[in-house]
Amino acid sequence: MRTDVEVAALAARAAAEALLPLRSSGLSGRQLGDVGDAAGQRAIAGVLAAERSGDAVFSEEATDDARRLSADRVWIVDPLDGTREYGDPERADWAVHVALWVRGELSAAAVALPALGEVHVTDPAPALPARPDGPVRIAVSRTRPPAEAEAVAAALGGRLVPLGSAGYKTLAVVRGEVDAYVHSGGMYQWDSAAPVAIARAAGLVTCRLDGSPLVYNRPDPSLPDLVVSRPELADRVLAAAGAAR
């Protein structure tokens, strides 16, 4: 029997394999995004139905079932995070998220970065690369860089790195591409559950902008802000972000 993290990885890979060919199908824009969302959802749902049929599923692309709120095991899924970037063949910053929540905690996860051919999991935990010399690099939304991130960059002498997809931005910290990710202004639980689980496994600090814990499988799907930081920078990042609020 596969472990939970093996199931998460299997589902993320299945979605990646469904999504990649669609980028060269001739579809574009919203139509490509909609077809991709549906294909990724079918792929993940098929794996979870075959491997963990008794578990609840909480997905961006499925009707929310209130039974998840009393379930012990809930898969939190985003079949395609970064739809705008998925539609641009030159960009790799989009992702597939599959996380398992068990009685209050994220217990296993996989995030696929299909355009890079990578699948990151919680076990074995990723090794956090050493930070290179130079300014602190802070991942932000390409379209809505938050004022808190600009304040962090100013306080730490850093620079903003615009990227797509919450999952890609979180994994960019895990992969050493940036040093922190600061977000405010809107997000859902499925946008961060799987990447946050992997960031935690790698030893990164993950929390709300005010330093409070990120809580998943709540009735309200929103989880509007997020900080992911290398541990040696986290206190300074949170202090600067808090001062800007």
Side-chain angles (χ1 to χ4, degrees):
M1 181 177 178
R2 291 186 176 91
T3 66
D4 289 331
V5 72
E6 287 171 342
V7 172
L10 185 66
R13 286 194 181 94
E17 290 169 2
L19 286 163
L20 278 171
L22 292 173
R23 294 185 101 190
S24 55
S25 66
L27 299 174
S28 62
R30 181 163 184 172
Q31 186 181 19
L32 173 60
D34 289 346
V35 171
D37 276 331
Q41 173 66 24
R42 283 195 300 273
I44 293 171
V47 170
L48 295 181
E51 299 284 343
R52 296 293 191 270
S53 60
D55 293 350
V57 180
F58 177 32
S59 172
E60 180 180 18
E61 300 302 327
T63 302
D64 192 5
D65 184 342
R67 287 178 292 184
R68 69 177 171 83
L69 299 174
S70 58
D72 286 339
R73 292 168 53 91
V74 180
W75 293 89
I76 303 177
V77 170
D78 188 348
L80 172 54
D81 183 59
T83 306
R84 184 191 301 265
E85 289 74 25
Y86 173 66
D88 182 343
E90 301 299 319
R91 299 196 67 91
D93 47 349
W94 53 281
V96 176
H97 303 173
V98 182
L100 176 63
W101 174 98
V102 178
R103 293 186 289 275
E105 299 292 340
L106 298 171
S107 67
V111 172
L113 304 179
L116 299 181
E118 297 179 4
V119 177
H120 297 259
V121 296
T122 46
D123 184 15
L128 189 63
R131 185 183 176 279
D133 294 335
V136 172
R137 303 155 299 173
I138 303 158
V140 294
S141 166
R142 293 174 63 205
T143 55
R144 293 172 295 145
E148 293 89 344
E150 294 174 353
V152 171
L156 275 65
R159 63 181 178 87
L160 302 183
V161 181
L163 292 168
S165 164
Y168 189 95
K169 289 192 278 283
T170 300
L171 268 292
V173 189
V174 173
R175 299 168 73 246
E177 184 178 343
V178 298
D179 304 305
Y181 168 32
V182 177
H183 177 82
S184 70
M187 180 177 279
Y188 293 98
Q189 294 178 39
W190 48 71
D191 291 321
S192 67
V196 158
I198 293 168
R200 289 174 178 172
L204 296 169
V205 173
T206 65
C207 59
R208 299 280 306 275
L209 272 171
D210 62 3
S212 62
L214 297 158
V215 180
Y216 294 94
N217 197 33
R218 301 293 300 272
D220 182 351
S222 68
L223 190 54
D225 52 60
L226 171 69
V227 171
V228 179
S229 174
R230 295 182 66 95
E232 67 270 29
L233 299 173
D235 288 346
R236 296 168 64 199
V237 168
L238 288 170
R245 305 203 86 195

